[in-house]
Every structure is written in C-alpha cells, then in structure tokens.
Amino acid sequence: MVVSVRSWVANEGGKHLVLMLWLGANTWLFMNTFLLYSTGQQYHYLYKMLGLGLCISRASASVLNLNCSLVLLPMCRSLLTFVRGTHAVSTRKTRRLLDKSKTFHVACGVAICVFSVVHVSAHLVNVVNFSASYSDDFPALNLARYRGEDPKMIIFTTIPGITGVLLVLILFLMFTSSSYCVRVSNYEIFWYTHNLFIIFYIILMVHMVGGALKYQTNIEAHPPGCLRTNQSSTEQQGEELEQSEDEEGRCREDAYFQPHYPQTWLWVSGPLCLYCVERFYRYIRSSDPVTIVTVVRHPCDVIELRMLKKNFSARPGQYIVLNCPGVSSFENHPFTLTTCPTENKETFGIHLRVVGDWTERFTQLLLPPPRIDLEILPMVQQRRYPKLYVDGPFGSPSEEVFNYDVSLCVAGGIGVTPFACVLHALLDGWTGFRLQRLYFVWVCRELQSFYWFAELLCALHHKLWQENRPDYFNLKLYVSQTDGLLSMSEEKYRPLSSRLLVGRPKWKLLLDEIGKSNKHKRVGVFCCGPKGISRTLHRLCNSARSSGTTFEFNKESFC
Amino acid sequence: MGQIEWAMWANEQALAAGLILLTGGVVGVAGQFRGWQFAAYAVAAGAFVCLLEYPRSKRAKGTSVARTGQYCFTVCVKAFGPLTRNYYVRAFLHAAICVPGGFMLATVLGCVCLGIASLIYLAAAIRGEHWEPILPKKETRKPVAQSIKNPPQNPPPRPPAELRRKQAKDLEAAAYDNPMPVTLDE
C-alpha cells in the first residue's frame, strides 16, 4: 500500500503541524533561555561559578513551565465539548484536531518527565559547583554556607531543594502508574495517583521561593569583569593605563545581586484555575441523580438502560460517565449514548456490555438474577433501582458523521453504540443534515449480537426506501466466527439477513468500491472497534486511491 | 478497590527505579565525584534490578501483556523458584539494595524510588500475591471424547407419528409432555 501524499496530508497533516509548532515552541524557549544565561551580562558571575549546568537547568526549567501549563488544557473535557459544538468558532479541521487531545496531553507529560530528568541532573551539578567553587569575591551569590559544604545538606536545607525532591517523587509515582499496562488492569491506581497533580502544582509554585539563583542588577555601574580589568591595569601601569580606563569602563561600585522572583505561577495559574473550574462545574452538573426508566436485557451480555435527567441534552455520538455509589463510590465509567433526548422523547439510553467486576455488580443491582421456575410466567415486580449519577455529555469524534457528504462507519462488536445514536437521529429526520450517503459496516463475532439493533436498522432501511432514497443507507453485516448459527430466520429482519456475510471483511475492496461510487469526494471514515481493524483502516486511508477519493480517518476510543 | 493487583504497579516502579539508579551511577562514575565507589555499586545494582524486574508477572484474572522479548528473562527468573516467586523476598531485597545508594548525591534519587517500590511490593506480598511466569501456551489437542466413538443406537424418545401430527379436531389430545426441559432460545 503506497502512501499517497494527498491522502496523508488530509489525514495526518493537521496533527503533525500542531506537533511541529509545539516542538518549535519548546526548542525556541530552550535556546533562548540557554543563550540568555550563557551570554547575558547580568549572569556573568553566576555563569563563571556554575558553568553550563546553570544554562541547561534554567533552559529546561522554562520548557517545563510551558509544558506544565499546556498539559492541563487537553483535559478540560467540558470546554472541548463546547468548542466542538459551536460550529461558528471551529471548522471541521479544528474539530478533528480535538480528537487527539489525549495524545497531546501524553506528549506534554512525556516532555515534562524528560526535561525534569535534564533539570534535576543539571541542578545536581550546580549544587556540587556551588559547594566546590564557593565564591569569596561575591558572598551574596553563594548558596552554600561555606566552601566544600556537603551538597546533600544544601539540597535538604533549602526550599528549592526540598520542594524539588518532593516534586520528583510525585512525578515518579504519576509516571509509573500511567503506563498502558497499569491503566488496563487497575484503572484506579492510575486515577488516584494522577490526582496528585494538584499537590504537584502547589509545590511547583513555591519551588522558586528562596531565590537560589541571583542576577546582577547594576550592570552599568559595575560592568561584569571590571574587577579583573582594575587589577590588570594596576599591574601594567604605565602604557595601558589610559587605554583601559577609557575602553573597559569604570567599576564605580560593587556588584549587587538580587534573586529572581518566582515566575512559574504566571505560566501555570491560568490553566490550573481553568481546570479546577471545569472539575467543579462537572461535579455540580453530575450531583443530580438520574431516574432509571427501563432496563432491558439483550443477548451476548448486553444491558440497555434508559434514563431521565432534568436539563440533559446531548448530540449523537457523545458519551457520558456513570457513577453508581451502590457499586463503588469513586469509580467512573464512560459509556456512549445510544439514544439522545429529542423533542418527542426525553429519555436517553446506553448499551453496556457486562465485562469486568463493576459492570457485573451493576447488572446485579439492576436486574436480579432470574429464577428458573419463574421463567415461563414473567412476573411484574416492584424493583428498586440503585442511585446513579451521570456526568457529561462529552464530545467524541463520531459527532462528525453528519458533517461529511459521504460517511463510512465501521463498528466492531459493542463499538456500534456511537453509530446507533447516529442512526436514531437519522430515523427521526434524515433531511436536515449535510450527509448524503452513509455506509455502515458492522462486524461481530456472534450472530446474536446483531439483535441489539436489528429493529433500528430495519426501521431505518424501510423508512428510506419508502421515502425514495434507497442509496442513502448502505448496510453490510459481517459475522466473523464461522461456527455457530449463521442466518437470521425472522421474516421481519429480511433486509439484514440478505446483507449478512460470513467471514472478515476485505477492507481494501470495500474502500475501492466506495471510492468508485464517490469519485473526487471526501469520505469520512469512522471506526470504533478493535485495534486491528482501526490500524488496517488507517493505513488504507493514507494510501493512494485511483478514484481520486480522499478518505479521512477518525477513530473513537476510550482509555 | 478490593481487587487491585499492587504487584503490577510495583513492578513498573521498580523497573523505572532501576533505570534511575543505573543512570545516576553512570553519571557518578563518569564525573569521578566524591564517593564514586557507591556510584559503581549503583551501576551494578541498577542493572540487576532491571534484569529482575523486566519480565512481567501473569495476572491472576484477565489478560497479561508481556514486555517485548521478555521470554528469556522469564526463563532465567523462573529458575530461581521460590526466591523470585515470593514478593516478601523481593521487598526486602529491594530495601537492602537501595540503602547504599543513599550515600552519594547522584544515586539518592534511585535509592528513594526503589524504596517506594519495595514498600509497594510489601503491600502486594501481604495481600498474598506472587509472581507467575508468562509462558507461551502449549497447543494441546483436545482428547477425543469417548462418546464420539459410540453414536447413539436409538432415536430420542418421541411419541408415535399419529400422535405427533396435529389433530385439527382434537388439539387438546395432541399435546404431550417433553421428557427434557425446553427453554426459549432467545
């Protein structure tokens, strides 16, 4: 598969542009601060005492300031959802960039770790130099109390030293618990250690108090290096006396040093306040418990939950975060909405698959396990549903399905949930959107999974055929496991059974076919499913296409 | 919070701490700082900790993700038997290894990080976790069940054909009880 420049630029161009800008900003900041400290007149004496360690540590500190302020911004989810929603402010290209907000957060986090290592190493060298090159000429410049003071004492008895050690420990805890392995197996460890960030930021803002590094304030009156010229002029008295007095300037007074005042709060306080406001807003918004209206059990371990909440509105494709104190007080789990509230119907619903202990316990609270002898006669019993809190809705890439002329939605198993909401919206009224054609590919392991949304698919199909747009909705269903039941026998699901294919889909042929029917158009590809499918599709979208169609890849994923 | 596997987190921390100890030791030896012998020790100790912690343990419940190329390390670590299986041994081993690192400036950080990892290993050991090697599954063909060689000789019990055909006049008499329980397949 040859990568075509046009497809690659359409898919990856925006992301890489932002990456280049970010790298450029970091490099510029690093070089600027490095040159300031190595060539600046006000740092001349300090540079002589500490050497390169001074420049590297200060340059990495400024890069750390930038990244510590940027790392919070992609995590303001409500703000990003709002930006995604206002089409006036953002174009489709900007909204596509918002999909990668978590990746940007990780990039800034990695930069913080890397530059912390550089910063700490440089400062360790500085501390050794403070102790070894204790300056007798300028006592105000020293951090050590006497020549040869043990560097460990310097670290543990100054504010920058102790706060630095604490910051490194917190960063170490946060970094080691955010690996993919720990997140997948024990999300709580990741969540609780990552919430130590607030302590990290508070300590960061007092890190510079105490003023370890000082700059000279009276450069005109005491040009750096003039002590030496005064001394050398007394040595070579006769000939150069007049010359040196004229050229090098006069030392009118002693050098006067002043520590920097802390600057980190200038960088960090804005995003930190924004993030705290956002968390507070989310807490207030989710403090209203929701009313559970219906619970339906579907085949293959899927439960559908319909709920009602005051002042709740959502767009198709968005997701919510559930918290059930009856199961666990602090765990929050994201689920995509499968039905959004409309003018006619105020309830919204999710489909959740029972895998893992939270969902199992939650299902047990919702639906007590059926007793065998009561299966024949269903009894209506009064059920007391558990209390449930909902945070959201939050934006996701699948909201863009309506903003392309042609869209291809690929779903794997339970990944069909964002598209189910899209299909419900089309069922309510398909004429109002920019979307002219939708290709829907759903791959499942077992045939029973298709029954989750069989009625919705058939209803949409019939409606579009009745309204004379048979080419609007193109459905393909694939059953990937070849043993087991392989056909849907019900008469009402005839449109589905005639579009059911056995085996895995051949993506290249599919994209070629779509490309032939939609020449020179921009097709939005939306994938929500296992990594294998999304990787293959991504590669295919980046590769050359003879029909001139551009495929823009959008992936939906959690954690 | 009841089912967290602390050992997995402790493993990540110990690996990172080993790398930090190794780096600090290399810096200390290269710069020939005061006390560089501690730095030399830290290089060896850091390398040892990295080799010990590289192979991930198999999770008690769920899928385990192995690190790339960890198979040979798994075999070596498994060879030590109960010494490496038990997390109490690991906790005390890490606590003992990290102490000499505290005497030199360049290795202090590695010492503290390894100490934290050792505490978490202690917590994991108290909760009864232990190290399990991730070994590739051997393909065993299912043994052919005995019953496949003897197919049933008789058809399943059914009432005779006349009774089974639905009598349009007499639906009540045509009903029969299934000897096996039947559930709706939905």
Side-chain angles (χ1 to χ4, degrees):
Chain A
M1 275 169 276
V2 178
V3 170
S4 119
V5 176
R6 203 181 61 173
S7 303
W8 190 89
V9 168
N11 273 307
E12 317 284 329
K15 283 188 300 203
H16 284 79
L17 182 67
V18 169
L19 180 69
M20 289 299 129
L21 285 175
W22 175 74
L23 282 176
N26 280 317
T27 317
W28 180 83
L29 209 53
F30 190 90
M31 296 308 304
N32 219 19
T33 322
F34 189 93
L35 289 172
L36 173 67
Y37 277 85
S38 61
T39 56
Q41 292 286 51
Q42 67 270 41
Y43 299 111
H44 175 90
Y45 292 119
L46 198 58
Y47 182 64
K48 262 201 339 194
M49 188 156 89
L50 296 179
L52 261 187
L54 169 72
C55 309
I56 295 184
S57 65
R58 292 307 302 156
S60 53
S62 58
V63 169
L64 280 176
N65 277 337
L66 174 69
N67 282 306
C68 283
S69 66
L70 285 180
V71 79
L72 285 173
L73 294 177
M75 290 293 120
C76 300
R77 286 209 198 110
S78 305
L79 184 65
L80 292 182
T81 307
F82 173 72
V83 170
R84 226 190 249 278
T86 54
H87 284 220
V89 170
S90 54
T91 64
R92 195 172 72 198
K93 280 206 174 58
T94 331
R95 290 195 294 270
R96 266 192 93 217
L97 287 175
L98 291 178
D99 296 348
K100 291 286 157 194
S101 51
K102 204 172 68 110
T103 316
F104 185 65
H105 175 85
V106 169
C108 286
V110 168
I112 290 178
C113 287
V114 166
F115 280 100
S116 296
V117 169
V118 171
H119 182 79
V120 166
S121 322
H123 266 316
L124 287 179
V125 171
N126 282 345
V127 163
V128 168
N129 281 332
F130 263 129
S131 146
S133 352
Y134 182 85
S135 167
D136 297 306
D137 295 328
F138 306 107
L141 207 52
N142 290 306
L143 187 63
R145 273 169 286 258
Y146 50 87
R147 184 177 288 270
E149 182 180 11
D150 187 10
K152 286 200 286 287
M153 286 300 298
I154 302 181
I155 291 183
F156 288 111
T157 52
T158 52
I159 293 184
I162 303 181
T163 51
V165 168
L166 285 175
L167 285 173
V168 169
L169 287 182
I170 296 181
L171 193 64
F172 174 71
L173 284 177
M174 281 169 64
F175 176 68
T176 50
S177 62
S178 51
S179 69
Y180 174 71
C181 201
V182 175
R183 265 183 290 139
V184 160
S185 61
N186 296 312
Y187 195 79
E188 300 89 32
I189 294 184
F190 162 70
W191 181 244
Y192 295 134
T193 42
H194 240 64
N195 276 318
L196 291 175
F197 78 94
I198 188 73
I199 307 182
F200 182 87
Y201 275 95
I202 294 176
I203 300 184
L204 186 66
M205 289 201 269
V206 298
H207 181 54
M208 276 279 277
V209 166
L213 299 174
K214 306 181 181 67
Y215 66 100
Q216 184 186 352
T217 44
N218 52 351
I219 305 182
E220 300 84 35
H222 175 118
C226 73
L227 266 185
R228 203 182 299 132
T229 41
N230 271 349
Q231 284 173 358
S232 62
S233 70
T234 52
E235 285 169 12
Q236 313 146 358
Q237 282 192 4
E239 308 117 38
E240 288 109 10
L241 192 62
E242 290 152 20
Q243 273 180 346
S244 39
E245 272 194 7
D246 290 336
E247 286 166 4
E248 301 290 351
R250 296 155 195 82
C251 262
R252 283 196 292 273
E253 48 184 58
D254 279 336
Y256 177 66
F257 298 101
Q258 198 183 341
H260 282 290
Y261 79 106
Q263 267 185 348
T264 309
W265 67 274
L266 282 173
W267 290 88
V268 154
S269 52
L272 190 63
C273 284
L274 192 64
Y275 186 72
C276 290
V277 163
E278 141 105 23
R279 285 286 285 264
F280 188 62
Y281 168 70
R282 269 165 47 184
Y283 174 73
I284 299 286
R285 193 169 61 165
S286 67
S287 56
D288 246 355
V290 299
T291 329
I292 298 182
V293 174
T294 332
V295 179
V296 180
R297 195 190 281 272
H298 286 283
C300 298
D301 289 333
V302 163
I303 305 283
E304 180 182 352
L305 194 63
R306 289 283 176 107
M307 299 168 274
L308 195 61
K309 185 173 172 182
K310 250 191 339 197
N311 296 334
F312 184 85
S313 67
R315 295 187 294 271
Q318 290 184 325
Y319 68 96
I320 54 173
V321 175
L322 288 189
N323 176 303
C324 184
V327 177
S328 162
S329 343
F330 297 113
E331 283 186 42
N332 296 305
H333 291 257
F335 294 102
T336 316
L337 289 168
T338 45
T339 39
C340 296
T342 56
E343 298 112 24
N344 311 329
K345 191 169 54 80
E346 273 185 26
T347 55
F348 58 96
I350 59 166
H351 277 65
L352 62 97
R353 198 164 75 124
V354 180
V355 55
D357 49 341
W358 190 88
T359 35
E360 264 174 35
R361 185 91 184 82
F362 188 51
T363 315
Q364 274 168 14
L365 286 181
L366 290 175
L367 290 172
R371 296 201 299 269
I372 309 294
D373 49 338
L374 289 181
E375 231 183 54
I376 304 173
L377 285 177
M379 264 177 46
V380 175
Q381 7 177 333
Q382 188 66 19
R383 254 191 224 130
R384 292 205 54 220
Y385 289 127
K387 222 174 195 188
L388 191 63
Y389 296 98
V390 153
D391 189 10
F394 299 113
S396 83
S398 310
E399 286 178 51
E400 291 296 309
V401 174
F402 299 115
N403 296 326
Y404 285 91
D405 288 327
V406 181
S407 290
L408 164 65
C409 295
V410 175
I414 193 66
V416 73
T417 38
F419 307 126
C421 208
V422 166
L423 295 179
H424 268 118
L426 286 177
L427 194 61
D428 278 338
W430 56 271
T431 40
F433 303 114
R434 182 178 161 180
L435 184 67
Q436 296 303 313
R437 191 175 284 172
L438 177 65
Y439 291 89
F440 190 72
V441 176
W442 189 6
V443 186
C444 280
R445 249 191 230 134
E446 293 164 350
L447 188 77
Q448 306 287 343
S449 317
F450 293 122
Y451 285 101
W452 303 335
F453 295 109
E455 283 175 14
L456 170 65
L457 292 170
C458 288
L460 185 63
H461 177 262
H462 283 307
K463 177 179 163 109
L464 287 166
W465 274 68
Q466 293 295 328
E467 300 187 9
N468 202 20
R469 279 298 293 271
D471 63 330
Y472 193 98
F473 183 53
N474 301 288
L475 179 64
K476 282 193 171 58
L477 303 175
Y478 289 87
V479 165
S480 60
Q481 247 180 23
T482 44
D483 42 305
L485 202 59
L486 287 179
S487 68
M488 296 166 109
S489 47
E490 290 89 345
E491 183 56 40
K492 55 180 172 163
Y493 298 142
R494 177 70 76 83
L496 300 186
S497 61
S498 59
R499 287 165 173 77
L500 181 67
L501 296 155
V502 176
R504 293 222 172 95
K506 296 188 175 42
W507 300 109
K508 186 158 177 5
L509 296 178
L510 203 67
L511 287 194
D512 283 341
E513 182 193 322
I514 296 178
K516 279 204 198 89
S517 325
N518 300 288
K519 287 207 166 106
H520 301 294
K521 284 224 177 87
R522 205 167 266 261
V523 176
V525 177
F526 297 88
C527 179
C528 183
K531 277 207 173 69
I533 296 183
S534 63
R535 258 191 226 132
T536 318
L537 273 180
H538 198 166
R539 232 173 339 139
L540 279 172
C541 289
N542 277 343
S543 62
R545 212 118 307 277
S546 57
S547 49
T549 328
T550 320
F551 288 93
E552 273 186 22
F553 184 72
N554 303 286
K555 188 174 72 138
E556 168 107 29
S557 65
F558 292 120
C559 98
Chain B
M1 286 269 271
Q3 284 158 345
I4 292 184
E5 286 183 29
W6 295 96
M8 179 154 283
W9 188 29
N11 171 273
E12 300 275 328
Q13 288 206 328
L15 188 63
L19 285 170
I20 295 176
L21 200 59
L22 181 65
T23 318
V26 163
V27 163
V29 167
Q32 290 283 311
F33 292 125
R34 199 171 54 198
W36 65 271
Q37 292 90 346
F38 287 113
Y41 161 81
V43 171
F48 171 70
V49 165
C50 283
L51 289 174
L52 176 64
E53 296 293 337
Y54 191 74
R56 269 207 193 107
S57 160
K58 194 151 112 152
R59 280 176 67 191
K61 202 168 72 149
T63 44
S64 331
V65 180
R67 291 201 176 98
T68 37
Q70 83 166 35
Y71 179 61
C72 31
F73 296 100
T74 313
V75 167
C76 297
V77 173
K78 185 168 148 226
F80 285 92
L83 273 184
T84 43
R85 246 175 79 89
N86 193 325
Y87 282 145
Y88 279 111
V89 170
R90 271 200 210 197
F92 290 123
L93 183 69
H94 287 323
I97 287 181
C98 79
V99 166
F103 292 108
M104 198 205 160
L105 185 60
T107 53
V108 149
L109 201 56
C111 158
V112 176
C113 294
L114 198 55
I116 296 179
S118 137
L119 283 174
I120 303 188
Y121 262 129
L122 191 63
I126 292 176
R127 299 194 73 242
E129 298 172 25
H130 56 266
W131 188 81
E132 276 285 333
I134 301 181
L135 295 167
K137 262 198 308 234
K138 284 190 277 282
E139 283 274 330
T140 50
R141 313 203 71 219
K142 270 199 305 238
V144 176
Q146 195 56 29
S147 62
I148 211 173
K149 305 217 176 79
N150 298 328
Q153 307 296 330
N154 300 315
R158 278 194 286 232
E162 310 86 53
L163 268 184
R164 266 186 285 130
R165 230 177 297 126
K166 270 240 175 73
Q167 314 285 10
K169 308 159 229 150
D170 193 2
L171 279 174
E172 290 287 323
Y176 62 90
D177 270 329
N178 261 326
M180 315 272 284
V182 168
T183 50
L184 269 176
D185 188 28
E186 251 171 8

